[in-house]
Coordinates of all heavy atoms in Angstrom, one line a residue:
M1 N 9.4 21.2 19.4 CA 9.4 20.2 20.5 C 8.0 19.4 20.5 O 6.9 19.9 20.6 CB 9.5 20.9 21.9 CG 9.2 20.0 23.0 SD 10.7 19.1 23.5 CE 10.0 17.8 24.6
T2 N 8.2 18.1 20.2 CA 6.9 17.3 20.1 C 7.0 16.3 21.3 O 8.1 15.8 21.6 CB 6.9 16.6 18.8 OG1 8.2 15.9 18.5 CG2 6.5 17.5 17.7
D3 N 5.9 16.0 21.8 CA 5.8 15.0 22.8 C 5.2 13.7 22.3 O 4.2 13.8 21.4 CB 5.0 15.5 24.0 CG 5.6 16.7 24.7 OD1 6.9 16.5 25.0 OD2 5.0 17.7 24.8
K4 N 5.7 12.6 22.8 CA 5.1 11.4 22.3 C 4.4 10.7 23.4 O 4.8 10.7 24.5 CB 6.3 10.5 21.7 CG 6.7 11.0 20.4 CD 7.9 9.9 19.9 CE 8.5 10.5 18.7 NZ 9.7 9.7 18.3
C5 N 3.4 9.9 23.0 CA 2.8 9.0 24.0 C 3.8 8.1 24.5 O 4.5 7.4 23.6 CB 1.6 8.3 23.4 SG 0.9 7.0 24.4
F6 N 4.0 7.9 25.8 CA 5.0 7.0 26.3 C 4.6 5.5 26.1 O 5.4 4.7 26.2 CB 5.3 7.3 27.8 CG 4.2 7.0 28.7 CD1 4.1 5.8 29.3 CD2 3.2 8.0 29.0 CE1 3.0 5.5 30.1 CE2 2.2 7.7 29.9 CZ 2.1 6.5 30.4
K7 N 3.4 5.3 25.8 CA 2.9 4.0 25.6 C 3.0 3.5 24.1 O 3.6 2.5 23.9 CB 1.5 3.8 26.1 CG 1.1 2.4 26.5 CD -0.3 2.4 27.0 CE -0.7 1.0 27.5 NZ -2.1 0.9 28.0
C8 N 2.5 4.2 23.2 CA 2.5 3.8 21.8 C 3.3 4.7 20.9 O 3.5 4.3 19.7 CB 1.0 3.8 21.3 SG 0.3 5.3 21.0
G9 N 3.8 5.8 21.4 CA 4.7 6.6 20.5 C 4.0 7.6 19.6 O 4.6 8.3 18.9
H10 N 2.7 7.6 19.7 CA 1.9 8.6 19.0 C 2.3 10.0 19.3 O 2.4 10.3 20.5 CB 0.4 8.3 19.2 CG -0.5 9.3 18.5 ND1 -0.7 9.3 17.2 CD2 -1.3 10.4 19.1 CE1 -1.6 10.3 16.8 NE2 -1.9 10.9 18.0
I11 N 2.4 10.9 18.3 CA 2.8 12.3 18.6 C 1.5 13.0 19.3 O 0.4 13.0 18.7 CB 3.1 13.0 17.3 CG1 4.2 12.3 16.5 CG2 3.6 14.5 17.7 CD1 5.6 12.3 17.2
L12 N 1.8 13.7 20.4 CA 0.8 14.4 21.1 C 0.9 15.9 20.8 O 2.0 16.4 20.5 CB 0.9 14.2 22.6 CG 0.9 12.8 23.1 CD1 1.1 12.8 24.7 CD2 -0.4 12.1 22.8
N13 N -0.2 16.5 20.7 CA -0.2 18.0 20.6 C 0.4 18.6 21.8 O 0.2 18.0 22.9 CB -1.6 18.5 20.2 CG -2.2 18.0 18.9 OD1 -1.4 18.0 18.0 ND2 -3.4 17.6 18.9
P14 N 0.9 19.9 21.6 CA 1.5 20.5 22.9 C 0.4 20.7 23.9 O -0.7 21.2 23.6 CB 2.0 21.9 22.3 CG 2.2 21.7 20.9 CD 1.2 20.6 20.5
G15 N 0.7 20.3 25.2 CA -0.2 20.5 26.2 C -1.2 19.5 26.3 O -2.2 19.5 27.1
E16 N -1.2 18.5 25.4 CA -2.2 17.5 25.4 C -1.7 16.2 26.1 O -0.6 15.7 25.8 CB -2.5 17.1 23.9 CG -3.7 16.2 23.8 CD -3.9 15.9 22.3 OE1 -3.1 15.2 21.7 OE2 -4.9 16.3 21.8
Y17 N -2.4 15.7 27.0 CA -1.9 14.6 27.8 C -2.6 13.4 27.6 O -2.3 12.3 28.2 CB -2.0 15.0 29.4 CG -1.1 16.2 29.7 CD1 -1.6 17.2 30.3 CD2 0.2 16.3 29.3 CE1 -0.9 18.4 30.6 CE2 0.9 17.4 29.5 CZ 0.3 18.4 30.3 OH 1.1 19.5 30.6
T18 N -3.6 13.3 26.7 CA -4.3 12.1 26.5 C -4.0 11.7 25.1 O -4.3 12.4 24.1 CB -5.8 12.3 26.7 OG1 -6.0 12.7 28.0 CG2 -6.5 11.0 26.5
C19 N -3.5 10.5 24.9 CA -3.2 10.0 23.5 C -4.5 9.6 22.8 O -5.4 9.0 23.4 CB -2.3 8.7 23.6 SG -2.0 7.9 22.1
Q20 N -4.6 10.1 21.6 CA -5.9 9.8 20.8 C -5.9 8.5 20.2 O -6.9 8.0 19.8 CB -6.0 10.9 19.8 CG -6.3 12.2 20.4 CD -6.4 13.3 19.3 OE1 -6.4 13.1 18.1 NE2 -6.6 14.6 19.7
V21 N -4.8 7.8 20.2 CA -4.7 6.5 19.7 C -5.0 5.3 20.6 O -5.9 4.6 20.4 CB -3.3 6.2 19.0 CG1 -3.2 4.7 18.5 CG2 -3.0 7.2 17.8
C22 N -4.3 5.4 21.7 CA -4.4 4.3 22.7 C -5.2 4.8 24.0 O -5.5 3.9 24.8 CB -3.1 3.7 23.1 SG -2.0 4.8 24.1
G23 N -5.4 6.1 24.0 CA -6.2 6.6 25.2 C -5.4 6.6 26.5 O -6.0 6.9 27.5
Q24 N -4.1 6.4 26.3 CA -3.3 6.5 27.6 C -3.4 7.9 28.2 O -3.2 8.8 27.5 CB -1.9 6.1 27.2 CG -0.9 6.2 28.4 CD -1.2 5.2 29.5 OE1 -1.6 4.0 29.2 NE2 -1.3 5.6 30.7
N25 N -3.7 7.9 29.4 CA -3.9 9.2 30.0 C -2.8 9.6 31.0 O -2.6 9.0 32.0 CB -5.3 9.2 30.8 CG -5.7 10.6 31.1 OD1 -5.0 11.6 31.2 ND2 -7.0 10.7 31.5
D26 N -2.1 10.6 30.6 CA -1.0 11.1 31.4 C -1.5 11.8 32.7 O -0.7 12.1 33.6 CB -0.1 12.1 30.7 CG 1.0 11.4 30.0 OD1 1.1 10.2 30.1 OD2 1.9 12.0 29.4
M27 N -2.8 12.1 32.8 CA -3.2 12.9 34.0 C -3.0 12.2 35.2 O -2.9 12.9 36.3 CB -4.7 13.2 33.8 CG -5.0 14.2 32.7 SD -4.0 15.6 32.7 CE -4.9 16.7 33.9
E28 N -2.9 10.9 35.3 CA -2.7 10.2 36.5 C -1.3 10.6 37.1 O -1.1 10.9 38.3 CB -2.7 8.7 36.3 CG -3.5 8.0 37.3 CD -3.9 6.6 36.8 OE1 -4.9 6.5 36.1 OE2 -3.2 5.7 37.2
D29 N -0.3 10.7 36.2 CA 1.0 11.1 36.6 C 1.0 12.5 37.1 O 1.6 12.9 38.1 CB 2.0 10.9 35.5 CG 2.4 9.5 35.3 OD1 2.2 8.7 36.2 OD2 3.0 9.2 34.2
Y30 N 0.3 13.3 36.3 CA 0.1 14.7 36.7 C -0.5 14.8 38.0 O 0.1 15.7 38.9 CB -0.8 15.4 35.7 CG -1.1 16.9 36.1 CD1 -0.2 17.8 36.2 CD2 -2.4 17.1 36.4 CE1 -0.5 19.1 36.6 CE2 -2.8 18.4 36.8 CZ -1.8 19.4 36.8 OH -2.2 20.7 37.3
R31 N -1.4 14.1 38.4 CA -2.0 14.2 39.7 C -1.1 13.8 40.8 O -1.0 14.3 41.8 CB -3.3 13.2 39.8 CG -4.5 14.0 39.7 CD -5.8 13.1 39.9 NE -6.6 13.3 38.8 CZ -7.0 12.3 38.0 NH1 -6.7 11.0 38.2 NH2 -7.8 12.6 36.9
T32 N -0.3 12.7 40.5 CA 0.7 12.3 41.5 C 1.7 13.4 41.7 O 2.0 13.7 42.8 CB 1.5 11.1 40.9 OG1 0.5 10.0 40.6 CG2 2.4 10.5 41.9
I33 N 2.2 13.9 40.6 CA 3.1 15.1 40.8 C 2.6 16.2 41.5 O 3.1 16.8 42.5 CB 3.6 15.6 39.4 CG1 4.3 14.4 38.6 CG2 4.5 16.8 39.6 CD1 4.5 14.7 37.2
R34 N 1.3 16.6 41.2 CA 0.7 17.7 41.9 C 0.5 17.5 43.3 O 0.7 18.4 44.2 CB -0.7 18.1 41.2 CG -1.1 19.5 41.5 CD -2.5 19.7 40.8 NE -3.5 18.7 41.2 CZ -4.7 18.7 40.7 NH1 -5.1 19.6 39.9 NH2 -5.5 17.7 41.1
N35 N 0.1 16.3 43.7 CA -0.1 16.0 45.1 C 1.2 16.1 45.8 O 1.3 16.6 47.0 CB -0.5 14.6 45.3 CG -2.0 14.5 45.0 OD1 -2.7 15.5 44.9 ND2 -2.6 13.3 44.7
Y36 N 2.3 15.7 45.2 CA 3.6 15.8 45.8 C 4.0 17.3 46.0 O 4.5 17.7 47.1 CB 4.7 15.1 45.0 CG 6.0 15.0 45.6 CD1 6.3 14.2 46.7 CD2 7.0 16.1 45.3 CE1 7.5 14.2 47.3 CE2 8.2 16.1 45.9 CZ 8.5 15.2 46.9 OH 9.7 15.2 47.5
V37 N 3.8 18.1 45.0 CA 4.2 19.4 45.0 C 3.4 20.2 46.1 O 3.9 21.1 46.7 CB 4.0 20.1 43.6 CG1 4.2 21.6 43.8 CG2 5.0 19.5 42.6
R38 N 2.1 19.8 46.3 CA 1.3 20.4 47.3 C 1.9 20.1 48.7 O 1.9 20.9 49.6 CB -0.1 19.8 47.2 CG -1.1 20.8 46.9 CD -2.5 20.3 46.9 NE -3.2 20.8 45.7 CZ -4.3 20.2 45.2 NH1 -4.8 19.1 45.7 NH2 -4.9 20.7 44.2
S39 N 2.4 18.8 48.9 CA 3.0 18.5 50.2 C 4.4 19.1 50.4 O 4.7 19.5 51.5 CB 3.1 17.0 50.3 OG 1.8 16.4 50.1
Y40 N 5.1 19.2 49.3 CA 6.5 19.7 49.3 C 6.6 20.8 48.3 O 7.2 20.6 47.2 CB 7.5 18.6 49.1 CG 7.2 17.4 50.0 CD1 6.6 16.4 49.6 CD2 7.9 17.5 51.3 CE1 6.4 15.3 50.4 CE2 7.7 16.3 52.1 CZ 7.0 15.3 51.7 OH 6.8 14.2 52.5
P41 N 6.1 22.0 48.6 CA 6.1 23.1 47.6 C 7.4 23.6 47.2 O 7.5 24.2 46.0 CB 5.4 24.2 48.3 CG 4.8 23.6 49.6 CD 5.6 22.4 49.9
N42 N 8.4 23.3 47.8 CA 9.8 23.8 47.4 C 10.6 22.8 46.7 O 11.8 22.9 46.5 CB 10.6 24.3 48.7 CG 9.8 25.5 49.2 OD1 9.4 26.4 48.5 ND2 9.8 25.6 50.5
S43 N 9.9 21.8 46.2 CA 10.6 20.8 45.5 C 11.1 21.2 44.1 O 10.3 22.0 43.4 CB 9.8 19.5 45.4 OG 9.3 19.1 46.6
N44 N 12.2 20.7 43.6 CA 12.4 20.9 42.2 C 12.1 19.6 41.4 O 11.8 18.6 42.0 CB 13.9 21.3 41.9 CG 14.9 20.3 42.4 OD1 14.6 19.1 42.3 ND2 16.1 20.8 42.9
A45 N 12.3 19.7 40.1 CA 11.8 18.6 39.3 C 12.6 17.3 39.6 O 12.0 16.2 39.6 CB 12.1 18.9 37.8
M46 N 13.9 17.4 39.9 CA 14.7 16.3 40.3 C 14.2 15.6 41.5 O 14.0 14.3 41.6 CB 16.1 16.7 40.5 CG 17.1 15.6 40.4 SD 17.2 14.8 38.8 CE 18.1 16.1 37.9
Q47 N 13.8 16.4 42.5 CA 13.3 15.8 43.7 C 12.0 15.1 43.5 O 11.7 14.1 44.1 CB 13.2 16.9 44.8 CG 14.5 17.4 45.3 CD 14.4 18.7 46.1 OE1 13.6 19.5 45.8 NE2 15.2 18.7 47.2
I48 N 11.1 15.7 42.7 CA 9.8 15.2 42.4 C 10.0 13.8 41.7 O 9.3 12.9 42.0 CB 9.0 16.1 41.6 CG1 8.7 17.4 42.3 CG2 7.7 15.5 41.2 CD1 8.2 18.6 41.4
A49 N 10.9 13.8 40.8 CA 11.2 12.6 40.0 C 11.6 11.5 40.9 O 11.1 10.3 40.8 CB 12.2 12.8 38.9
N50 N 12.5 11.8 41.9 CA 13.0 10.8 42.8 C 11.9 10.3 43.7 O 11.8 9.1 44.0 CB 14.1 11.3 43.6 CG 15.4 11.6 42.8 OD1 15.6 10.9 41.8 ND2 16.3 12.4 43.3
A51 N 11.0 11.1 44.1 CA 10.0 10.8 45.1 C 8.9 10.0 44.4 O 8.2 9.2 45.0 CB 9.5 12.0 45.7
T52 N 8.5 10.4 43.2 CA 7.3 9.8 42.5 C 7.6 8.7 41.6 O 6.8 7.9 41.2 CB 6.5 10.9 41.8 OG1 7.4 11.5 40.8 CG2 6.1 12.0 42.7
G53 N 8.9 8.6 41.1 CA 9.3 7.6 40.1 C 8.9 8.0 38.7 O 9.0 7.2 37.8
I54 N 8.4 9.3 38.5 CA 8.0 9.8 37.2 C 9.3 10.4 36.6 O 10.0 11.1 37.3 CB 6.8 10.7 37.3 CG1 5.6 9.9 37.8 CG2 6.6 11.3 36.0 CD1 4.5 10.8 38.3
S55 N 9.5 10.2 35.3 CA 10.7 10.7 34.7 C 10.8 12.3 34.8 O 9.8 13.0 34.7 CB 10.8 10.3 33.2 OG 9.9 11.0 32.5
V56 N 12.0 12.8 34.9 CA 12.2 14.2 35.0 C 11.7 15.0 33.8 O 11.0 16.0 33.8 CB 13.7 14.5 35.2 CG1 13.9 16.0 35.2 CG2 14.2 13.9 36.5
S57 N 11.9 14.4 32.6 CA 11.5 15.0 31.4 C 10.0 15.2 31.3 O 9.5 16.2 30.8 CB 11.9 14.2 30.2 OG 11.4 13.0 30.2
K58 N 9.3 14.3 31.8 CA 7.8 14.4 31.9 C 7.4 15.4 32.9 O 6.5 16.3 32.6 CB 7.2 13.0 32.3 CG 5.7 13.0 32.1 CD 5.1 11.7 32.6 CE 4.8 10.8 31.4 NZ 4.1 9.6 31.8
I59 N 8.0 15.5 34.0 CA 7.7 16.5 35.0 C 8.0 17.9 34.4 O 7.2 18.9 34.6 CB 8.5 16.3 36.3 CG1 8.1 15.0 36.9 CG2 8.4 17.5 37.2 CD1 9.0 14.5 38.0
L60 N 9.2 18.0 33.7 CA 9.5 19.3 33.2 C 8.5 19.7 32.1 O 8.2 20.9 31.9 CB 10.9 19.3 32.5 CG 12.1 19.1 33.6 CD1 13.4 18.9 32.8 CD2 12.1 20.3 34.4
R61 N 7.9 18.7 31.4 CA 6.9 19.0 30.4 C 5.7 19.7 31.1 O 5.1 20.6 30.5 CB 6.5 17.7 29.7 CG 5.8 17.9 28.4 CD 5.5 16.6 27.7 NE 4.2 16.2 27.8 CZ 3.8 14.9 27.7 NH1 4.6 14.0 27.5 NH2 2.5 14.6 27.8
Y62 N 5.3 19.1 32.2 CA 4.1 19.7 32.9 C 4.4 21.1 33.4 O 3.6 22.0 33.3 CB 3.8 18.9 34.1 CG 3.2 17.5 33.8 CD1 3.7 16.4 34.3 CD2 2.1 17.4 32.9 CE1 3.2 15.1 34.0 CE2 1.5 16.2 32.6 CZ 2.1 15.1 33.2 OH 1.5 13.8 32.9
I63 N 5.7 21.3 33.8 CA 6.0 22.6 34.3 C 6.1 23.6 33.2 O 5.6 24.8 33.3 CB 7.5 22.5 35.0 CG1 7.4 21.6 36.2 CG2 8.0 23.9 35.4 CD1 8.7 21.3 36.8
R64 N 6.7 23.2 32.1 CA 6.8 24.1 30.9 C 5.4 24.5 30.4 O 5.2 25.7 30.0 CB 7.5 23.4 29.7 CG 8.9 23.9 29.5 CD 9.4 23.5 28.1 NE 8.9 22.2 27.7 CZ 9.6 21.0 27.9 NH1 10.8 21.1 28.5 NH2 9.2 19.9 27.6
D65 N 4.5 23.6 30.5 CA 3.1 23.8 30.0 C 2.4 24.7 30.9 O 1.4 25.2 30.6 CB 2.4 22.4 29.9 CG 1.1 22.5 29.3 OD1 1.0 23.2 28.2 OD2 0.0 22.1 29.9
G66 N 2.9 25.0 32.2 CA 2.3 25.8 33.1 C 1.3 25.1 34.0 O 0.6 25.7 34.8
S67 N 1.2 23.7 33.8 CA 0.3 23.0 34.6 C 0.8 22.9 36.1 O 0.0 22.7 37.0 CB 0.2 21.6 34.1 OG -0.3 21.6 32.7
L68 N 2.0 23.0 36.2 CA 2.7 22.9 37.6 C 3.6 24.1 37.8 O 4.2 24.6 36.9 CB 3.6 21.6 37.6 CG 2.9 20.3 37.9 CD1 4.0 19.2 37.9 CD2 2.2 20.3 39.3
T69 N 3.5 24.5 39.0 CA 4.5 25.6 39.4 C 5.4 25.0 40.5 O 5.0 24.7 41.6 CB 3.6 26.8 40.0 OG1 2.7 27.1 39.0 CG2 4.6 27.9 40.2
V70 N 6.6 25.0 40.2 CA 7.6 24.6 41.2 C 8.8 25.5 41.2 O 8.8 26.4 40.3 CB 8.1 23.1 40.9 CG1 7.1 22.1 41.0 CG2 8.9 23.0 39.6
V71 N 9.7 25.3 42.1 CA 10.9 26.2 42.1 C 11.7 25.9 40.8 O 11.6 24.8 40.3 CB 11.7 26.0 43.4 CG1 10.9 26.5 44.6 CG2 12.1 24.6 43.5
D72 N 12.6 26.9 40.5 CA 13.4 26.6 39.4 C 14.3 25.5 39.6 O 14.8 25.2 40.7 CB 14.3 27.9 39.2 CG 13.5 29.0 38.4 OD1 12.4 28.7 37.9 OD2 14.1 30.1 38.3
N73 N 14.6 24.8 38.5 CA 15.5 23.6 38.7 C 16.9 23.9 38.5 O 17.6 23.5 37.6 CB 15.0 22.6 37.6 CG 15.6 21.2 37.8 OD1 16.0 20.9 38.9 ND2 15.8 20.5 36.7
H74 N 17.4 24.7 39.4 CA 18.8 25.0 39.4 C 19.6 23.8 40.1 O 19.4 23.5 41.2 CB 19.1 26.3 40.3 CG 18.6 27.5 39.6 ND1 18.9 27.8 38.3 CD2 17.8 28.5 40.0 CE1 18.3 28.9 38.0 NE2 17.6 29.3 39.0
P75 N 20.4 23.2 39.2 CA 21.2 22.1 39.9 C 22.2 22.7 40.9 O 22.9 23.6 40.6 CB 22.0 21.5 38.7 CG 21.8 22.4 37.5 CD 20.8 23.5 37.9
R76 N 22.1 22.1 42.1 CA 22.9 22.6 43.1 C 24.0 21.5 43.5 O 23.6 20.5 44.1 CB 22.2 23.0 44.3 CG 21.5 24.4 44.2 CD 21.3 24.9 45.5 NE 20.6 26.3 45.3 CZ 19.8 26.8 46.2 NH1 19.6 26.2 47.4 NH2 19.3 28.0 46.0
R77 N 25.1 21.7 43.1 CA 26.1 20.7 43.3 C 26.9 21.0 44.7 O 26.9 22.1 45.1 CB 27.1 20.6 42.2 CG 26.4 20.6 40.8 CD 27.0 19.4 40.0 NE 26.2 19.5 38.7 CZ 25.4 18.4 38.4 NH1 25.1 17.4 39.2 NH2 24.8 18.5 37.2
G78 N 27.5 20.0 45.2 CA 28.3 20.2 46.4 C 27.5 20.5 47.6 O 27.9 21.3 48.4
R79 N 26.3 20.0 47.7 CA 25.4 20.3 48.8 C 25.9 19.6 50.0 O 26.3 18.5 50.1 CB 24.0 19.7 48.5 CG 23.0 20.1 49.5 CD 21.6 19.9 49.1 NE 21.5 18.6 48.3 CZ 20.4 17.8 48.5 NH1 19.4 18.2 49.2 NH2 20.3 16.7 47.7
Ligands
LIG101 ZN1 -0.7 6.2 22.8

């Protein structure tokens, strides 16, 4: 699983959020997500994505990396 810089497409090392080519810093998104999770601790990735406008895949990346702790992303249908 490789992550790419969303700006220039440069391959990022696992757990690395700053692109070495263009310097694009993902930490801003991370901060946004973290602030949201602090306010709404029981959110799943989908809810965070809807609320922050950050892509689910990126949020899941932070979660996988252990940077974020949220509830399991069990899709609940028929709510
Ligand atoms: Zn880049």
Side-chain angles (χ1 to χ4, degrees):
M1 172 81 195
T2 50
D3 294 312
K4 287 180 187 172
C5 171
F6 65 91
K7 202 175 184 186
C8 72
H10 176 73
I11 306 287
L12 302 179
N13 295 320
E16 187 181 66
Y17 299 128
T18 304
C19 176
Q20 294 179 1
V21 173
C22 70
Q24 179 64 43
N25 196 340
D26 267 3
M27 289 312 274
E28 226 162 277
D29 284 345
Y30 170 66
R31 256 184 235 124
T32 304
I33 298 165
R34 198 179 55 181
N35 284 342
Y36 182 82
V37 172
R38 241 181 225 162
S39 306
Y40 305 95
N42 294 318
S43 308
N44 63 32
M46 196 65 74
Q47 290 168 319
I48 299 167
N50 287 337
T52 60
I54 296 164
S55 71
V56 175
S57 61
K58 187 183 259 186
I59 293 166
L60 290 176
R61 196 174 105 201
Y62 290 128
I63 295 170
R64 257 201 318 271
D65 187 52
S67 306
L68 274 177
T69 306
V70 299
V71 295
D72 277 352
N73 188 27
H74 292 304
R76 281 204 181 154
R77 314 229 177 249
R79 186 165 43 140

